[in-house]
Amino acid sequence: MTPVEETINSHTIAVLVDNEPGVLARVIGLFAGRGYNIESLTVAEVSQDEKLSRITIVTSGTPMIVAQIKAQLGRLVPVHKVSDLTLDGPSVERELALVKVAGTGEKRVESLRIADIFRARVLDSTNESFVFEIIGDTGKLNAFVDLMKPLGLVDVSRTGVVAIARGAGSLEDQKN
Amino acid sequence: MANDLMMGSHILMTALKDQGVTEIFGYPGGAVLPLYDAMHEQNAIRHILVRQEGGAVHAAEGYARSTGKVGVVLVTSGPGATNAVTGLTDAMMDSIPLVCITGQVPTHLIGNDAFQECDTTGITRPCTKHNYLVKDVNDLARVVHEAFYVASTGRPGPVVIDLPKDVAMGLGLYSTPDKFKHKSYNPQIKGDAKAIKQAVALLAGAKKPIFYCGGGVINSGPKASALLTQLVRSTGYPCTLTLMGLGAYPASDPQFLGMLGMHGTYEANLAMHDCDVMICVGARFDDRITGVISKFSPNSKKIHIDIDPSSINKNVRVDIPIIGDVANVLEDMLKVWKSSQAKPDQKALKAWWKQIDEWRAKDCLKFVQKGKIIKPQYAIQRLYEATKNLDDVYITTEVGQHQMWAAQFYGFEKPNHWMTSGGLGTMGYGLPAAVGTQIAHPDALVIDIAGEASILMNIQEMSTIAQYHLPVKVFIINNRYMGMVRQWQELLHGGRYAESYMESLPDFKMLAESFGGVGMVCDKPEDLDGMIDEMLKTDKSVIADVRVEQLESCYPMIPSGAAHNEMLLGPKDEADRPISEEGMVLV
């Protein structure tokens, strides 16, 4: 038998599904029922004509587990396509966060300065608070949130990762 | 009539009829009354009234497994649906094609905790292959046709259609089940040609090969079993079957090593352990088969044929996966095998068979029938001897020791004649499954080999048997214990038989008679053959209560946490090799 690779890696998986009632419950139920991790999950309709939704899941596991996750997703009846964006060629990933920071004086100025460095936008401002909008990969968002902590971080709301393959091909054309 | 508006309940009946359904197993209730009304007005579909919804699902499983058709169930909302859950899970685990229609409260009451409401699609989501809640009567016909397609295509499984009462009473359009391509569910049927070539080359070069085959062969249809038999015979290699696969290869064939796994034969398990090439056909490396994974067949290259990609590399890493339908793949394999004029290493193969014959010589299923008490193995062996030359015999079982003994001592020559609950291990499966099997094959001999504990779990189905005059034979291996529980308590828990003794058993003879059947009791070995003869001659239903040795354990056995080559052959091995603590926590 080939030696079992035990390294646990994070994978971003894109799933194209029929946008029908219960489809998200099926996907989440699969992860819960079989003990897989969900690190992040986003879902929204992407084609109104065909009633398709795209789910992006960030999960982690050994190569054998991740292959299992893909196979299990693939056998759900309303699933059209499963792609492991981490493995199937280059892809881009983005996440959006809304970050509320409250403070006055030097801390307030400092938070604005850092936001500028990170190219975060100010969406809302009062005399003692900002709401920043920041877009980037997960690492950048984590770094930004960490820097805001000592400056009066109040609330964070994040979308979770969305991802797409680079190049001209679509998810549906891709070979499984 | 294509454009005529029809009531939902009539749309359902028409759709079922167009799907070729001739029998439904069910139980009425408030939410499905319109459906029963529509049923009442037609003659194409016969309804079999069970006595509990759980029985309906197992009956449909027996029907499906013995015919290869989709089994159909109709139950009401709430408790009707929740009672069906065990059967649905059973069908999910054993890949049995079912369509189960559940009534639901009217759409405007859904979510209101209405009378007999439950979240059926929520509850059944993890235990069905797919489920539907039909909210628009115009979707109903399409959903029914889709449900049959999903249930029977790819790896089969149960599908639930939850039908609110107002939808069943609403007016809508019917559509026929024209050949349609499902927009997302289209499983791969044909195996990859390159992988098949590689597999044949690997097989041809094997020195110690084994075929390990399971229920997938049966699910693929009788042709798959015929092709498997051809391939195994043209290779000259040994073949073992899982519990679910029994009948896929003739038991009387000299190349058959018997069942493998926890209570499989010594030769089958040792051959699995020592082989150099294993070809797994339609089986899933279940924990009852592999024993402890880390020691499972350590030196073999593995080929795995399965229609379900998620079965590949789930428990055991394989070298050559082939995704496809078993019959389709075996047909291609056989062609490649013949055209490549594969010549296995006859010298190596001879040595391999010599080794296997040495294992066989252990005679691992040996038992001694002496004294005044019937050995359970003897009872099943005599039943087999009395029925093996009959034309059409279908065996169902409950779950436990008797099930394992039936698998060990009853030989199956053909597929679809063995109905047992493998994956879920559902006590109470056998009697209703026998009902379904007998409905499908009215003139066949259907025997439920049962235990006295299991049979009581769905004993109410005796009433169904009475109503439809089904000549089902119930052959109870009665040891007054939940035998398998007792055996594990003996093995793992110091013989503390907590709650495993069956107190207050009914008089099974009187019980049979009270349902219009014939009751028989046998407690002497010399009377056994006579009783079996009498049972087979009776054209009514029979409960035969065979009083057997109480403390007999089922051997051989791979204890939890052990490997194939660490089998216990009998009580003596057990004393020599106590189970590890690690093994104790496993089931």
Side-chain angles (χ1 to χ4, degrees), chain B residues 62-63 66-67 392 394 416 436-446:
Chain B
Y63 182 92
S66 67
T67 58
D392 234 3
Y394 294 85
N416 302 102
T437 307
Q438 190 82 73
I439 290 288
H441 310 274
D443 301 319
L445 173 62
V446 180

Side-chain angles (χ1 to χ4, degrees), chain A residues 89-102:
Chain A
S91 63
V92 284
E93 292 191 8
R94 281 296 177 269
E95 192 178 351
L96 184 148
L98 302 178
V99 180
K100 186 182 283 183
V101 181

Side-chain angles (χ1 to χ4, degrees), chain B residues 485-531:
Chain B
V485 173
R486 190 209 60 76
Q487 177 169 342
W488 280 55
Q489 287 173 333
E490 179 189 310
L491 203 62
L492 300 169
H493 298 277
R496 293 179 295 279
Y497 298 147
E499 302 295 320
S500 57
Y501 183 68
M502 289 303 288
E503 299 266 6
S504 308
L505 285 168
D507 180 328
F508 285 110
K509 184 171 182 296
M510 284 171 67
L511 191 136
E513 286 161 2
S514 75
F515 285 108
V518 176
M520 297 173 185
V521 185
C522 181
D523 54 6
K524 294 186 192 70
E526 61 271 24
D527 295 344
L528 188 60
D529 286 351
M531 190 209 67

Side-chain angles (χ1 to χ4, degrees), chain A residues 40-43 94-98 141 157-162:
Chain A
S40 144
L41 181 140
T42 66
V43 55
R94 281 296 177 269
E95 192 178 351
L96 184 148
L98 302 178
L141 266 57
S157 176
R158 293 169 71 152
T159 57
V161 170
V162 290

Side-chain angles (χ1 to χ4, degrees), chain A residues 47-69:
Chain A
S47 156
Q48 267 189 329
D49 311 340
E50 294 174 76
K51 290 198 170 162
L52 292 175
S53 286
R54 181 166 170 140
I55 300 175
T56 310
I57 305 167
V58 181
T59 184
S60 60
T62 62
M64 200 159 153
I65 299 257
V66 173
Q68 229 344 261
I69 291 172

